[in-house]
Each structure stands twice: as C-alpha cells, then as structure tokens.
Amino acid sequence: MIGALAASLGLSPDDPSFWMPLVFMGMLFVLIVAGTVLDGFDLGVGILLRLAPIEERGRMMALLSPWRDANEFWMLLGVGLFAAAFPFAWGVILGQLYAPLTLMLMGIVLRSVSFEFRLRARTEAKPRWVHGFWIGSLMTAFGQGMALGRIATGYQDVAGYYWFSMFVGLCAVAAYVLLGATWLVMRVEGDLQRRAVNWARHAIRWTAAGMVAIAVTLGLANAGIFYKWSNLSHLGPAVAVWVAMLLGFVGTEMVLMRLPRHAERFSWVPFVGCVGLFLLMLGGLAYSLFPYLVLDDMTIWDGAAALGSMRLVLSGAVVAVPLIVVFNILAYRSLFGKARRPAPMPGADMSSRN
C-alpha cells in the first residue's frame, strides 16, 4: 500500500520527500490524541464547575492542579509542529477555521488566567475566577467542536453546514463533560462521585449523537470518504469500528448504572471506555481524511515544508521527544486512583474552598 501510494506521487518509499511528511503526520496525530484526551478531562471538569455544589468547586479545581501545565503543553506543541511541518496548509486551514480557532484561543487564555489568579485571589474574589475558568472551558470545547464540524463538511459555505458545526460544538461540550465526569467517578468518592455518575449518564447520549453525526456527514459530504467506508474490501474493518463504538457506549452506560454502590472496584472502567471511544473517533477521522489536509484539494505532500526545513524540525523532535516522554510519565503517573480529600484547616470556613 505504501509503495502504491509513493508510486502515485512519482516518488520512492525511501525518498525523504515521501516519508518525512508521513512521519510528521504520525507525530501530529499522537499530539492530537494526547491533547484531546489529557486536556479533555481538564476541560470537562471545568465545564462541570457550574453544576457542582459551591463547596466542591475548589476541590474540583485542586484535583486538576498536578496536570494543568502538562495539559496545555499538547495543544501548543501540536500547533507549532503543524505550522513548521506544513506551512502551505497552515494559512489555508487557518483562514477556514478563523472563528472557531479564535474562540478556542480566547477560551484557553481565559482558563489559564482564571486558574492562576484564583490561587492568588482573596477569598471573596475566588468565585469570580472559578466562573472565569468555567466560561473559558466552555469556549474552548465549543470552539473545538465547531472546528471539527467545519472539517467534516469540507469547509463548505452552506447555511445548513454552519448550523451543523454549532450542533457538533454542543456535542463536543457533552463529550468533554463525559470525559471529565468519568474521570471524577474514578478519582473521588461520596456525593461528588454520585453527581459525576449522573452527569456522565446525561452526557453520553449527546456524545453518541455527535460521533454518529460526524461519521454520517463525512460520508454524505464527500463521495471518496463514502467509498472508503462502504467498499467491500474495507467493509470488515468499518463494521468492526462501529461494533466497537456501540459496545463502548453500551458498556460504559451499564457500568455507570451500577455505580457507585454495586461496582465501585470498576469505577475506572467508564473513563477507560470513554478514552477508547475518543480513540476510535479520532482514528476513524484520520482514516477518512488521509492523505488530505484539505479534502480533495491539498495532500500532506502538497502542504509540506521544504525538505531542508523538515529535516531541521525532525532533528529537534528527535532531541525533544525523549524529554517530553519522561516529563509526562512523571506528570501523569498519579492520573488514576482515588484522590484523598484534604483535611480542613482549623478555623477554615466553607467559603475558602470556592
């Protein structure tokens, strides 16, 4: 398959002009997956702040503290890698996704500022920064969903597709709520865990609707993608993906129904199942779009930088990746497992937890 693809481009599989863009796309996919999952539970918990009791909001934000800097790192690294490796596609895609990316960037900045300022604010001002973190999380998730909706419709300027992008934005908010809620189910106990189970059960239906809508729209909006998934030679893997997603949704829902009383030792299963659903969706999206950066218009080789530039970026990546792996193993080693509720300080009142 690789040989046929290289031949169709008039290149050899051993030619750096052929395999270097593939390497960068593989790296970019890993960063997108890491950013979606690892920053995703952070976003989900932020969106859930307004639904949580006032006395639990400070605790929820404190649970995120060990991973806040690491979570934001993935997005910045992904954007930098894409701009460096595919500069000819950068301007085209940025122009098509200007509105959702601007909304997402504003949300990221607001989240970061609110989180840091809350730590240093006076007690009476803390709820204001919690509210800012919630708004920033909502903006970021909705912006990502809108961008995904625009990509799925091939950036077509039709009124109905803009409404579809907004629908996907809402479903993306639900998907991150599901990821954040299942993470809380795994991490906490008591009343907050019961609430998280309820939030997850409400969000899972909208998440399923969004994933199905993306898959159907990709096929209906582009004949090439429809052929990819319906071709008899690829029908087996396509059916396997759909069955795996169905089992993932059903299995996650069944475990949530039994929590927290009857299946406490399986409290990690909904989060792992949710991560699996995200991986299936992102993998299916990557398969559908490959080898295009802009559907039917620009392939990854059309958008790639000059060979010398790619060599320079790849040399930096070879040095940086091992450091990144070690850093993130240390940062995320306590992601699983129950978090202990901190003992209250003597004389502390409930308002100090906001």
Side-chain angles (χ1 to χ4, degrees):
M1 180 179 176
I2 295 296
L5 182 60
S8 68
L9 297 168
L11 299 171
S12 165
D14 299 328
D15 191 334
S17 299
F18 173 74
W19 60 262
M20 272 194 176
L22 287 176
V23 169
F24 281 114
M25 279 306 300
M27 294 170 61
L28 189 62
F29 179 74
V30 171
L31 292 176
I32 290 172
V33 169
T36 302
V37 173
L38 297 175
D39 194 33
F41 75 84
D42 191 322
L43 282 171
V45 173
I47 296 169
L48 288 168
L49 284 172
R50 293 292 294 176
L51 300 177
I54 293 176
E55 63 272 14
E56 294 284 6
R57 294 174 185 174
R59 181 190 178 198
M60 290 168 65
M61 292 190 70
L63 286 171
L64 300 175
S65 294
W67 304 286
R68 278 292 304 148
D69 292 337
N71 287 344
E72 292 182 341
F73 168 81
W74 299 106
M75 181 68 66
L76 295 174
L77 184 60
V79 170
L81 180 65
F82 185 79
F86 303 101
F88 298 107
W90 171 253
V92 175
I93 294 176
L94 189 65
Q96 296 289 350
L97 299 178
Y98 181 80
L101 290 182
T102 299
L103 182 66
M104 188 171 65
L105 179 61
M106 292 171 60
I108 291 172
V109 172
L110 182 57
R111 273 165 50 84
S112 299
V113 170
S114 298
F115 192 90
E116 296 299 328
F117 275 42
R118 175 193 164 273
L119 297 175
R120 296 161 177 79
R122 296 189 303 270
T123 299
E124 60 272 16
K126 287 183 183 293
R128 190 179 310 155
W129 296 113
V130 171
H131 186 72
F133 189 77
W134 168 70
I135 294 177
S137 300
L138 198 61
M139 291 170 61
T140 304
F142 188 74
Q144 288 186 16
M146 285 189 65
L148 181 58
R150 291 283 291 148
I151 292 171
T153 56
Y155 311 113
Q156 297 184 46
D157 296 320
V158 180
Y161 285 152
Y162 283 109
W163 287 108
F164 173 78
S165 297
M166 296 188 70
F167 170 75
V168 175
L170 293 174
C171 291
V173 172
Y176 284 126
V177 164
L178 175 63
L179 192 60
T182 53
W183 184 76
L184 287 174
V185 169
M186 178 180 66
R187 291 283 291 167
V188 303
E189 296 175 336
D191 180 65
L192 183 57
Q193 187 188 47
R194 288 190 291 273
R195 290 176 182 272
V197 168
N198 188 49
W199 295 330
R201 292 189 63 190
H202 281 85
I204 196 170
R205 296 163 178 81
W206 284 99
T207 303
M211 289 186 179
V212 171
I214 287 291
V216 172
T217 303
L218 272 170
L220 295 179
N222 188 279
I225 294 176
F226 181 82
Y227 177 76
K228 261 188 180 182
W229 287 96
S230 61
N231 185 13
L232 290 178
S233 62
H234 300 156
L235 198 56
V239 172
V241 169
W242 280 105
V243 170
M245 292 190 72
L246 178 61
L247 293 176
F249 279 115
V250 173
T252 301
E253 174 74 11
M254 289 179 65
V255 176
L256 287 171
M257 288 175 63
R258 297 181 60 81
L259 285 168
R261 286 188 177 181
H262 305 296
E264 177 57 33
R265 67 181 183 277
F266 298 113
S267 61
W268 55 271
V269 171
F271 178 72
V272 172
C274 188
V275 170
L277 289 170
F278 273 67
L279 291 176
L280 285 171
M281 185 202 71
L282 292 172
L285 186 64
Y287 172 73
S288 298
L289 298 178
F290 184 82
Y292 291 100
L293 292 171
V294 179
L295 273 174
D296 299 330
D297 187 33
M298 182 182 293
T299 67
I300 61 175
W301 294 276
D302 295 329
L307 189 57
S309 298
M310 286 193 292
R311 282 178 174 151
L312 181 62
V313 175
L314 189 59
S315 300
V318 168
V319 175
V321 166
L323 298 176
I324 293 169
V325 170
V326 172
F327 169 77
N328 284 288
I329 288 174
L330 295 175
Y332 290 105
R333 68 185 185 277
S334 58
L335 183 66
F336 294 87
K338 294 295 181 184
R340 296 181 179 180
R341 180 185 285 274
M345 296 293 291
D349 55 29
M350 298 299 288
S351 63
S352 64
R353 299 183 188 179
N354 293 339

